[in-house]
Structures are given as structure tokens and as C-alpha cells.
Amino acid sequence: MATRLLYLAAFFLFRLPLSFSEGDASSMESVPDLQKQMYTVLEGYPCVRLLNLSGEIGCANPGRDKVVAPIVRFSNSTRLTWPSAVVLSVDEMEGFFKRVSNDLDFAQNVGGVLVESVSSSQKILGLSPDQKFPQAKFSPYQNISYEWNPLGAGIMWNSYQFPVFLLSVSSSLSVQKLSASNEKREKAYTAHVAEFDLVMQTTKSGTRDSQSCIEEQTCLPLGGYSVWSSLPPMNASQSDQSKGVILAVASMDSASFFRDKSLGAESSVSGLIALLVAVDALSHVDGLANSSRQLVFLFLTGEAWGYLGSRRFLHELDLHSDSVSGLNETSIEMVLEVGSVGKGLNQGAKKFYAHTARASSVINETLNALKQAGDSLDSNQITISPASTANPGIPPSSLMAFLRKQNSQTPGVILEDFDTAFTNNFYHSHLDDLSNINASSVADAATIIARTLYVLASGKNLSNSALGTVNVNESLVQELMGCLLSCEPGLSCALVKSYISPSTACPSHYAGVLLGEPSSTPYPSDVDDTSRFLWNFLADKTSIWRQNVSSACSGNCTNEGEVCIKAETDKKGVCVISTTRYVPAYSTRLKFESGSWKVLPPNSSDPMGMADPVWTESNWDLIGLRAYTVQDSMYDHFVLLVGVSITVLAYVAIVTTRTFITKALKRD
């Protein structure tokens, strides 16, 4: 009975300020029902706190408590007089965050930020939160003021002492209604507020750089697992690689202002898909086992954060670790990197550019192979041109790690869809999504890469008819785009599920953090969905198994040179002969020892390591975002005053009445 009375009291207490409808009130039968009416849970993607050896970037609550602030719509004329939850459209992001950095009085009253999703009718000309020369400190040349990314605003590299969320489409509509309601009820006694729960452990513990947070174990290093594979498989018993290696490289990770909304369709995934499709095409070509060079495919993660994947790969080569067994740096004759290739269309024609580093006979051979591959295509509207000699050097890419490695002389070529500056107006933005690339451009790039690698592997000029046997599966391009760049079907697509059991449907290509001890044979739970899919896909495509099928497996295979693919699927996995391996990707300045991470002192023989900021991501307990209605404190004070007044008046009335009655009874 007491519980019911308390519930009824709570209901009547909140009914007025929350303005429940009669239907809402009649449908509530429990406290959880009441909570659903009181709170609107908002779906969003957070900007989180990242750290390096110098300090912090990103977003977080300023202290240990949740942030509660009234929701207001931002405009250039907005003046905040108290902490507020500011609602922005995407095209207002750059101006707002620049104002925050330049106007401290304004910044002090920003309680939190809610960024709306882009509507289908909204046209955004460009937004890049990265710098104009991304990761310039790792450049192998001196001209770091060059603008590869002209639209770069640099706002993702600042530290913000307030939470920021990118709202989902449905939550954007909800917040728009709440902010409009607040504007209409400016002098009312109630207001709609947003409650931000984005408390980072590094904020709570005061460990505000990578060195201190690693020591206190309140953060984890950025990184994950890169994947490499050879075609055909290497001889497992061969102690050294007798053939020269052509190393084809692509990046699998991207970055954005918002952790879990980093698709990187053009900036990295277009090249990833093109190289995957090229691998598939080459897997159907006969005679590669007798070629004069060995093809090796390397898919790197962590490249957006100090080229973690490529630097660690080269470090593992120096260590001759198990993760690169069968490879050595001296056998790598050339690096062919596939960069941004999703926007090659230009007024109906397709244009690609070859950026080169370190002139050599192999570079000339590669340029000739690219031209031969382009000429072999049926269309005469595809051109492959050398990049402008006016460029200061190669664009930001994994090849920089190879060029800056001490005593390394490995030449390289990068295939891009731009010459002197990015054509991608959304570089490292959450807007770099499926709509930002063209499947036809990716498919043509895949064909060019596959045929170029075929020419380089054979070591001789091939006729157009011979190159015509190397054809890409254009439907695979579309399928991979749907799997890796959208939520529908996303990682729940049939292709991905034929190899792994994904943990989520919506893909994100943020590098993430390295879980557990780095290993060449990590537990599947320590490897993200994209890396596990790539490992299985490559092991399948580069394997020998249709003629030499081994026993079913659920983990390791017993025969030398075999790996177990598709072990996560409902069906049992299959052991196949393949040289496909994981390579841990994390800072060369970090070491995992006795169950924890340690920061190593800089090594003067590693120039990129000297520049390494050692990126880490703060731990957190829970991230949440919701909205609800509160009463103004002045109204609460007024209600208290009225209540006290009524109580006093009631007491006076009771005393007066009692006195009057007593006197009346005595007279009687």
C-alpha cells in the first residue's frame, strides 16, 4: 500500500511539468513506465578523449559527474549566459568549434554539443576536421606547409572540456522539437535539458597524457591487427625468400571527429576494396606459381594515427618475428600502394595519378606496367598519369613509413585519384560515406591494379590479350561497398557472414584499441570484425584448397603451412594451405610486459618513432545521452514559499478556529 501511495505521489508530482497526455498517464502501470515517459533516450556517436605524450584531444565531461544543460539552438549570433547543450547542424561545426577555441567566455558556457545528422535534402559542400597536411610530422620531405587537404579545419586535434555527440536521424528530429519548444517557452517554469554521461577515466584519475594514463592503466593504446597474405602461398620450409617481392598495400582504417562514425569511404576503404577485388581477380589466374616475383598483399590498420600499422610491420621485419615469417625487408623490391580511388571520375572520363618515390628501374617498370594495364582496358576514357613534379613529394600515405625507415631504399608508387590535392572534400569526416565514392571508379582501379601486379609478377611485357584474362568481379565491388560502408546490410551481409560471425552490423573503420597481449595468433575476440574478415577472405582467395582439402577445423590446423578459415561460421571451418597472417599494429614506443603496457624511451635510430605521439584512448564505464524536462529552480523556490505560506496560514487558521470554538463552548 505504501509503495502504491509513493508511486501515485511521484506521478502527480511529475505530471504537470512533463505535460503527460491522458493516454500516456493511463498507460503507465509501473515505475519503468514512468521513466519511459520522463526520459527520451537519444541515440548518438560520441567524440571521446584521446591522449598522447603531450596531452589530450577530443571530448569528455569536464569532471566526474553527468552534465545536465538546457537545449538551445546555435547560431552565429548566439550568446550563452549559462551552461547550455548547443544543437548544431553539420555545416555549422567548423565555425562553432573555431569560435570555442577563440572565445573563452563563450566556451565556458558550452555544457555539451549535439550535432544533427545530415538530411537527404541537405547539401554539404565540404567538411574535413583533419589538418591541411595530415600527419605532417611524419613527412619524408621538408615542405610540411603544403596543403594536400585544402578544406582541413584541424578541429579534431583540439581538446574540448565538454561532451559532443553526433545524433542519429531520429534523435536529431527529437532534439529539434525540444530546442524549438524551449525557444517558445523561454519564460516558462520548465525546460527541456540534455543529460550527458561521457565521463572518461583519465579525467576522473587526472592522468591527462599517455605516459601517466598507461602507468595508472586508465587508457589503452590505439591499434589493432594488420593482415598480410601472399599469392601463391610461400613454401613454409623455405628459410629465406628467393624471389623478389612486390608488396601491394592498402589501409583499412580511417578517422573522424566521432569515434564510431569513421567509415573513410574515399580516404581509405576505396583503396582497400580495390585491392581486395584485385586479389580475387589474380586468384583465378593460372601460372602465378611460376612467376619471377612473389606477390604479397598488406592491409594496414592504425595508419590514421601515426602510421602505426606500417611502422610496426617494418619493426617486426627487423625483429624477424613470427608474424612476418617468410618475409624480409631486403626481398621487397617495390611497394605499390592503393590510395583514394573512389572519385576517379572527371566529366565522364576516369583519371588516376601515380605518385612515385625514389627513382629506380623498378619504378620505371611499374609506371610502364600501369600504362600497359590502362591501355589494355576496353575504354579509351581511362588515363593514368604521373603526378605533377611540382608536388613536394608523395601525399600522406603508408609509403612514408618505408621512406623514413633508416637504411631503407625501397622505392614505391601510390595510385590515387588526385594529383596536387585531395579530391575528397570529406577527408576524415563522418560524411565520407558510401555516397562519396563511385563503384565504377573503384572497379576500374581494381582492374588496373590486378593487371599491373600481373605484369610485375611475370617480369615481362604481356599482350593485351594476355592481360584480358585478368578480369575483376564488378559485383564483388558493389557487395564489398555494401558490407563495409553501410549498416544495411553492413557486416551482416552474406559475404562477411560466410567467413566470420560479426559482432555488429554497422561497420566503423576507426582503429580502436589493442586488447590483450599482442600476438601473431591472437584470440578472435581480440581482433575487430574488419581484420578478421580480411584474414579469412585473403586466406581463402590466396589458398590452395580446392585440390588439397584438409580436414574440418575449429581452430588450428595440424599440417605445416595450413590455416583454418571460416571457423566462426555455423559450418565447421576448413584447413587450407595459405600464407596469411596477422601483424599487431601499435606504437613502436610501447611494450607489453608483465601484463601491462610501458612507454619506451625514444630511439634516435627511428626518426618516425622520435615523432611518435603514442596515441591512447581513455577508458570509460558507460556512455549515455538522454533528454528530459526539469522545473526552473525559481519555480521550485516559489512552490516552496507557497507551501510554507499555506502551512503557516493553515496553522494560524487552526489555532484561531480552536480558540474561537473554545470560547464559544465556555459561553455555552
Side-chain angles (χ1 to χ4, degrees):
M1 184 67 180
T3 302
R4 179 169 294 181
L5 289 173
L6 286 173
Y7 166 70
L8 290 174
F11 167 68
F12 285 112
L13 178 65
F14 285 104
R15 186 171 187 235
L16 178 62
L18 293 177
S19 303
F20 292 152
S21 67
E22 292 299 325
D24 292 336
S26 63
S27 65
M28 290 188 293
E29 299 178 355
S30 64
V31 172
D33 289 338
L34 176 62
Q35 289 179 327
K36 289 180 181 178
Q37 295 295 339
M38 290 170 59
Y39 300 109
T40 300
V41 176
L42 301 175
E43 298 175 347
Y45 304 90
C47 159
V48 301
R49 177 70 75 220
L50 299 177
L51 306 98
N52 56 37
L53 294 176
S54 302
E56 304 170 306
I57 69 167
C59 320
N61 283 16
R64 303 184 177 201
D65 301 319
K66 298 177 182 179
V67 172
V68 178
I71 301 171
V72 299
R73 162 68 63 181
F74 172 76
S75 68
N76 291 330
S77 60
T78 299
R79 297 185 64 84
L80 303 178
T81 55
W82 56 77
S84 304
V86 183
V87 183
L88 305 175
S89 62
V90 169
D91 54 4
E92 293 172 321
M93 271 188 68
E94 181 177 340
F96 173 83
F97 284 104
K98 285 185 175 180
R99 181 174 174 183
V100 165
S101 299
N102 298 324
D103 187 345
L104 295 181
D105 291 335
F106 177 78
Q108 287 176 351
N109 285 320
V110 178
V113 177
L114 301 169
V115 181
E116 298 168 332
S117 290
V118 176
S119 65
S120 57
S121 60
Q122 194 173 357
K123 301 296 182 182
I124 306 298
L125 297 178
L127 173 67
S128 175
D130 208 335
Q131 297 159 332
K132 294 186 183 298
F133 191 145
Q135 306 194 81
K137 65 174 68 175
F138 296 102
S139 169
Y141 46 86
Q142 298 299 315
N143 185 4
I144 60 174
S145 62
Y146 188 82
E147 296 186 1
W148 286 106
N149 183 30
L151 295 180
I155 58 175
M156 67 182 284
W157 299 101
N158 298 328
S159 176
Y160 303 104
Q161 302 305 316
F162 48 79
V164 182
F165 281 81
L166 172 67
L167 298 172
S168 66
V169 174
S170 59
S171 293
S172 295
L173 296 175
S174 299
V175 168
Q176 287 169 5
K177 294 177 182 178
L178 295 177
S179 63
S181 177
N182 277 349
E183 290 178 5
K184 292 178 182 177
R185 301 161 60 181
E186 187 175 352
K187 296 183 179 180
Y189 58 83
T190 60
H192 302 295
V193 299
E195 180 187 87
F196 301 86
D197 190 357
L198 192 65
V199 179
M200 301 282 109
Q201 288 188 13
T202 52
T203 301
K204 292 171 67 175
S205 63
T207 52
R208 295 182 176 272
D209 59 67
S210 289
Q211 179 80 49
S212 60
C213 75
I214 284 176
E215 290 174 354
E216 296 298 322
Q217 299 185 18
T218 58
C219 62
L220 286 171
L222 291 195
Y225 284 91
S226 302
V227 181
W228 72 273
S229 185
S230 68
L231 182 68
M234 294 179 180
N235 189 339
S237 62
Q238 195 171 312
S239 59
D240 61 345
Q241 179 63 42
S242 59
K243 289 183 179 181
V245 170
I246 299 297
L247 185 64
V249 179
S251 297
M252 68 171 80
D253 76 296
S254 187
S256 81
F257 198 93
F258 304 99
R259 181 188 190 277
D260 298 318
K261 200 67 172 175
S262 302
L263 288 172
E266 162 69 352
S267 60
S268 61
V269 178
S270 61
L272 166 72
I273 292 174
L275 187 53
L276 285 176
V277 175
V279 173
D280 174 69
L282 290 167
S283 69
H284 297 95
V285 175
D286 295 328
L288 282 178
N290 300 319
S291 60
S292 61
R293 291 189 178 110
Q294 176 73 53
L295 293 180
V296 174
F297 309 99
L298 175 61
F299 295 84
L300 298 164
T301 193
E303 295 301 273
W305 302 97
Y307 302 110
L308 296 176
S310 51
R311 289 172 47 226
R312 174 55 60 173
F313 172 77
L314 291 169
H315 187 62
E316 296 295 313
L317 284 177
D318 288 341
L319 297 175
H320 304 289
S321 67
D322 290 341
S323 61
V324 291
S325 176
L327 279 179
N328 62 73
E329 188 178 352
T330 57
S331 65
I332 300 176
E333 293 187 9
M334 228 275 303
V335 175
L336 177 58
E337 184 171 353
V338 190
S340 302
V341 293
K343 300 180 78 68
L345 285 173
N346 182 16
Q347 297 180 348
K350 295 187 179 71
K351 291 187 176 182
F352 298 99
Y353 297 88
H355 299 256
T356 62
R358 290 186 177 144
S360 70
S361 59
V362 183
I363 290 289
N364 294 333
E365 184 182 352
T366 303
L367 292 176
N368 290 333
L370 283 167
K371 184 178 185 306
Q372 191 176 354
D375 292 342
S376 69
L377 296 173
D378 293 334
S379 173
N380 59 3
Q381 296 189 358
I382 297 177
T383 60
I384 305 170
S385 307
S388 172
T389 56
N391 292 346
I394 61 171
S397 58
S398 302
L399 184 58
M400 286 184 169
F402 288 84
L403 298 182
R404 290 208 64 185
K405 187 176 184 301
Q406 195 172 45
N407 300 324
S408 173
Q409 296 299 319
T410 305
V413 174
I414 312 168
L415 187 69
E416 304 273 14
D417 57 18
F418 62 84
D419 185 3
T420 58
F422 296 169
T423 54
N424 182 10
N425 290 339
F426 303 107
Y427 183 80
H428 283 176
S429 163
H430 67 279
L431 299 176
D432 188 8
D433 56 19
L434 186 61
S435 64
N436 197 37
I437 61 174
N438 183 280
S440 174
S441 179
V442 176
D444 285 335
T447 302
I448 291 167
I449 291 296
R451 294 184 180 183
T452 298
L453 291 174
Y454 186 39
V455 173
L456 293 174
S458 66
K460 56 185 179 182
N461 289 329
L462 299 173
S463 64
N464 285 351
S465 59
L467 288 177
T469 62
V470 182
N471 293 303
V472 302
N473 182 352
E474 294 189 11
S475 64
L476 179 60
V477 174
Q478 296 279 3
E479 191 171 11
L480 284 168
M481 287 173 63
C483 295
L484 299 177
L485 293 172
S486 69
C487 289
E488 296 180 3
L491 295 174
S492 295
C493 68
L495 177 62
V496 171
K497 293 186 74 173
S498 68
Y499 289 108
I500 66 167
S501 296
S503 60
T504 182
C506 288
S508 176
H509 303 299
Y510 171 67
V513 294
L514 195 63
L515 301 173
E517 182 176 5
S519 171
S520 59
T521 56
Y523 294 109
S525 59
D526 290 342
V527 184
D528 69 19
D529 291 341
T530 303
S531 293
R532 293 199 330 279
F533 165 65
L534 291 183
W535 186 92
N536 280 270
F537 181 90
L538 291 169
D540 181 17
K541 297 299 181 181
T542 64
S543 66
I544 303 171
W545 72 298
R546 292 178 178 82
Q547 294 81 18
N548 299 281
V549 176
S550 184
S551 58
C553 58
S554 59
N556 295 326
C557 300
T558 56
N559 296 329
E560 187 178 25
E562 287 188 340
V563 294
C564 180
I565 64 172
K566 305 183 179 183
E568 297 180 43
T569 59
D570 295 334
K571 301 176 182 179
K572 289 185 178 180
V574 179
C575 287
V576 298
I577 299 171
S578 177
T579 308
T580 303
R581 297 190 179 93
Y582 289 114
V583 184
Y586 60 98
S587 171
T588 56
R589 291 280 306 278
L590 289 174
K591 183 179 182 180
F592 191 85
E593 188 175 65
S594 302
S596 62
W597 291 97
K598 290 180 175 58
V599 179
L600 301 174
N603 183 351
S604 59
S605 65
D606 179 11
M608 292 191 86
M610 296 283 288
D612 188 353
V614 187
W615 287 109
T616 57
E617 181 187 286
S618 176
N619 300 337
W620 63 78
D621 295 322
L622 181 68
I623 290 179
L625 176 65
R626 62 182 183 177
Y628 52 92
T629 305
V630 297
Q631 291 181 159
D632 186 86
S633 60
M634 292 295 293
Y635 178 77
D636 291 336
H637 296 156
F638 173 75
V639 171
L640 176 62
L641 179 62
V642 170
V644 170
S645 300
I646 291 174
T647 302
V648 171
L649 290 173
Y651 176 76
V652 171
I654 290 170
V655 171
T656 303
T657 302
R658 181 182 293 174
T659 302
F660 175 78
I661 292 174
T662 301
K663 290 181 178 180
L665 290 174
K666 286 181 178 180
R667 286 196 299 267
D668 292 342

